[in-house]
């Protein structure tokens, strides 16, 4: 009887973190827009992602607490979403994303007026970061 070699499967990507720069016309300052969304799309509702966030010493912490249904139960599908806008972020930041404080992914990004660059990304990740620069 032959033994099959067990291949090490990468864990699936459960979330995408979209980071983009926008310009706030009212305050005349750049804004960092952060959207966390599930890769899975839901059929009946557009769920919200409950996130506990904290920024301290160039570290942005996101702790994913879970999903909750929208307050108005109108039918509609799509991914679960969490959005946040942050002001005055420039330089190198560590983004730490944990899920129920069990799993954790840590990324290092550089934020400038011109681009958002991913410097370091974990090997086994449940979150993928996507950067997008909008016209300023």
């Amino acid at each position: 009887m032959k033994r099959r070699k067990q291949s090490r499967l990468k864990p699936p990507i459960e979330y995408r973190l979209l980071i983009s720069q926008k310009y706030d016309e009212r305050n005349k300052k750049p804004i960092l827009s952060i959207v966390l969304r599930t890769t899975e799309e839901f059929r009946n509702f557009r769920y919200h992602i409950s996130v506990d966030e904290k920024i301290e010493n160039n570290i942005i912490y996101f702790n994913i607490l879970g999903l909750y249904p929208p307050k108005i139960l109108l039918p509609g599908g799509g991914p679960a979403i969490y959005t946040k806008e942050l002001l005055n972020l420039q330089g190198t930041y560590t983004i730490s994303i944990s899920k129920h404080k069990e799993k954790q992914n840590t990324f290092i990004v550089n934020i400038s007026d011109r681009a958002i660059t991913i410097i370091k990304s974990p090997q086994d990740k449940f979150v993928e970061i996507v950067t997008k620069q909008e016209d300023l």
Side-chain angles (χ1 to χ4, degrees):
M1 187 177 228
K2 287 186 178 180
R3 283 190 170 176
R4 288 186 181 181
K5 290 184 181 179
Q6 289 183 344
S7 64
R8 185 170 180 210
L9 297 175
K10 287 186 176 181
I13 301 294
E14 298 176 53
Y15 298 91
R16 285 202 175 80
L17 185 70
L18 175 63
I19 304 174
S20 62
Q21 280 280 24
K22 295 181 180 179
Y23 189 74
D24 182 5
E25 290 292 332
R26 188 178 62 164
N27 294 321
K28 307 289 186 209
K29 294 182 179 182
I31 296 175
L32 188 69
S33 173
I34 295 176
V35 178
L36 179 67
R37 59 173 283 174
T38 58
T39 55
E40 180 181 344
E41 298 212 1
F42 300 93
R43 288 183 170 189
N44 297 325
F45 300 110
R46 292 203 73 167
Y47 290 92
H48 299 284
I49 302 172
S50 178
V51 175
D52 183 25
E53 93 264 333
K54 179 171 65 169
I55 300 174
E56 138 185 314
N57 300 327
N58 285 23
I59 303 173
I60 304 170
Y61 297 98
F62 293 109
N63 181 26
I64 300 169
L65 303 172
L67 305 180
Y68 63 94
K71 291 180 182 176
I72 300 174
L73 297 176
L74 294 175
I81 294 179
Y82 163 81
T83 60
K84 182 73 176 176
E85 290 184 341
L86 303 170
L87 291 172
N88 300 327
L89 293 185
Q90 295 284 317
T92 302
Y93 284 83
T94 299
I95 299 176
S96 178
I97 304 166
S98 62
K99 187 169 81 168
H100 308 294
K101 295 195 177 185
E102 294 173 8
K103 292 183 181 178
Q104 183 172 353
N105 283 174
T106 302
F107 301 85
I108 299 176
V109 297
N110 186 29
I111 303 167
S112 71
D113 289 337
R114 299 276 179 219
I116 300 166
T117 309
I118 301 169
I119 298 171
K120 186 177 178 189
S121 181
Q123 290 284 16
D124 294 329
K125 54 189 171 185
F126 66 93
V127 177
E128 174 182 63
I129 288 188
V130 179
T131 61
K132 180 182 174 198
Q133 186 70 21
E134 296 194 7
D135 295 331
L136 293 179

